[in-house]
Amino acid sequence: MSASPAPVSAAGEAGGRLPLPALAAGFLALAVAIGIGRFVYTPILPAMAEALGLSRAQTGLIGSANFAGYLAGALASAHPLLLRGRKLWLAGALATCVATLVAMGRCSTLAAFVTLRFVGGAASALGFVLATALVMDRLARTGRSNLASLHYAGVGSGIALSAAVVSVAHESGCAWRALWAISGVLSLALAGPILWLLRGPPPVASRAPPATAVAPSIARLVIAYGLFGFGYVITATFLVAIVRTLPQLAAAEAYVWLCVGLAAAPSVAAWGWVERRLGFQTTFALACLVEASGVLVSVLTAQVLGILYAAFALGGTFVALTSLGIDGAASACRGSSAHRRGDDGGVRHRACHRARSGGRASRRDRRLHRPVPRGRGGAPGRRGPGPIAARRGCAGLTGSAHPAAAPVPRAASKPRSALRSVLPTPLTGSTSSLRICAGT
């Protein structure tokens, strides 16, 4: 019988060894897979469309192919085959990102562009899920989940770096083909040390029971998350192209996408601070409103200040919303798993508390402890636990022999913020919450 992994100690939760190599690897992986691999199309698009005479429908089709590939990769990331050799799968995903970037500069047909962006999108999703799984395992086992924002800062940093490199290269006279090649070389340079930084035996992960049903909270979160993705991807794809079409915004073309990256880099930490004060649902809704305002301003304004606000509103929310979505999905999955195991501890704890205080049970508690019908022999039916039985149940839960000595169990703690605990427990072989929220 294999030994189960030891839980993180209390000392580790307070702050264990700083996993700098894992954080650096995650930072670089997200910079390559998402910041460059997924979003470098935005600053290259205007020069590419102008040189090839691509219509808006054609450029939109190329962008849509990347998003479709990203969705396919996010769904495929839950395949059991990926649980073995995750570092090798991550290396393959990042290598595919680099290869598709270079190949984009060597093609000229719409079909080739669509195919390459689809494959690149799938590789970006796999890179995101696998890198996040590997990094969060290490953060959780060293008690440093509060450093998750440094991992997610790789997305914004990759966007900012690629925006600056593409802008400088374009101003230097590089054609669109050279811009794709330069982006591929930049990605290769960043991806090179990732496997070395993740060296060493991988953390032992136990297998979580597969989900057999979708909790209502998960369904609502998926709908909200899908609407968030639908709302931002158009602006994220065409923001630089929008700026180029208006002469009064020409001065902002060189740095508008850079502003998106600079705003995205610290966004997870900033919104994590908000979440710790306002809660998950309020923070998620507020971030969506800020993002929606930026999207709206981007199509209504013809002023530089307005387009810069749109850039900061977009960059300052979309990565944070991804992190918040992962946190919400992980919490909902844990709650659904507890329900399938028959874990009614919350109801029993409330019953114990009300029994001690003499209060009345809620309608939900009374429904769960309704009387059993009388038997054929006229024997009285069994009723749910009354005050005395509830006290005995409390004693059983706490291991106390005397009812009065049993402490009142504490209520379930509020889920920690996406910043402090994007995946509060070590990944257990299942990437369901990452898969749910990687698909935008």
Side-chain angles (χ1 to χ4, degrees), residues 221-322:
L221 179 60
V222 168
I223 293 173
Y225 199 80
L227 293 174
F228 139 66
F230 179 80
Y232 92 88
V233 293
I234 298 175
T235 304
T237 303
F238 294 104
L239 182 61
V240 179
I242 292 172
V243 171
R244 174 169 284 202
T245 59
L246 299 175
Q248 55 269 42
L249 297 178
E253 180 181 352
Y255 53 84
V256 64
W257 193 241
L258 175 66
C259 293
V260 173
L262 293 177
S267 62
V268 174
W271 285 103
W273 180 86
V274 175
E275 187 195 8
R276 290 193 295 274
R277 285 150 181 81
L278 301 182
F280 167 74
Q281 293 184 351
T282 302
T283 304
F284 192 92
L286 182 60
C288 286
L289 289 176
V290 173
E291 182 185 85
S293 69
V295 172
L296 185 63
V297 168
S298 69
V299 297
L300 295 180
T301 187
Q303 303 297 324
V304 173
L305 288 180
I307 206 69
L308 290 181
Y309 169 79
F312 278 104
L314 172 65
T317 53
F318 83 94
V319 182
L321 281 168
T322 301

Side-chain angles (χ1 to χ4, degrees), residues 23-308:
L23 281 173
F27 179 92
L28 294 174
L30 294 196
V32 172
I34 308 298
I36 303 176
R38 187 180 184 190
F39 287 117
V40 77
Y41 176 65
T42 300
I44 298 178
L45 172 61
M48 179 179 172
E50 182 179 356
L52 296 176
L54 298 175
S55 66
R56 294 179 181 177
Q58 290 173 325
T59 56
L61 180 61
I62 297 171
S64 299
N66 183 254
F67 297 131
Y70 194 86
L71 176 61
L75 296 175
S77 64
H79 196 280
L81 184 62
L82 297 179
L83 298 179
R84 299 179 180 180
R86 287 189 294 183
K87 288 191 289 187
L88 294 180
W89 283 108
L90 175 61
L94 296 178
T96 303
C97 288
V98 173
T100 54
L101 289 174
V102 175
M104 281 291 291
R106 305 186 64 84
C107 298
S108 300
T109 64
L110 180 62
F113 292 145
V114 169
T115 302
L116 287 173
R117 291 306 288 163
F118 180 88
V119 174
S124 295
L126 289 174
F128 171 81
V129 172
L130 293 170
T132 302
L134 289 167
V135 173
M136 294 305 160
D137 275 343
R138 285 159 172 78
L139 291 181
R141 281 167 172 75
T142 55
R144 304 305 293 262
S145 295
N146 59 315
L147 299 177
S149 62
L150 298 179
H151 168 69
Y152 286 100
V155 176
S157 300
I159 291 175
L161 179 61
S162 62
V165 170
V166 168
S167 178
V168 171
H170 182 64
E171 292 296 328
S172 301
C174 293
W176 67 272
R177 295 184 185 276
L179 297 181
W180 282 111
I182 292 171
S183 300
V185 172
L186 177 63
S187 297
L188 180 62
L190 296 178
I194 290 177
L195 287 184
W196 179 79
L197 291 170
L198 289 175
R199 68 190 184 281
V204 178
S206 61
R207 290 184 175 270
T212 57
V214 178
S217 57
I218 283 286
R220 291 192 296 268
L221 179 60
V222 168
I223 293 173
Y225 199 80
L227 293 174
F228 139 66
F230 179 80
Y232 92 88
V233 293
I234 298 175
T235 304
T237 303
F238 294 104
L239 182 61
V240 179
I242 292 172
V243 171
R244 174 169 284 202
T245 59
L246 299 175
Q248 55 269 42
L249 297 178
E253 180 181 352
Y255 53 84
V256 64
W257 193 241
L258 175 66
C259 293
V260 173
L262 293 177
S267 62
V268 174
W271 285 103
W273 180 86
V274 175
E275 187 195 8
R276 290 193 295 274
R277 285 150 181 81
L278 301 182
F280 167 74
Q281 293 184 351
T282 302
T283 304
F284 192 92
L286 182 60
C288 286
L289 289 176
V290 173
E291 182 185 85
S293 69
V295 172
L296 185 63
V297 168
S298 69
V299 297
L300 295 180
T301 187
Q303 303 297 324
V304 173
L305 288 180
I307 206 69
L308 290 181

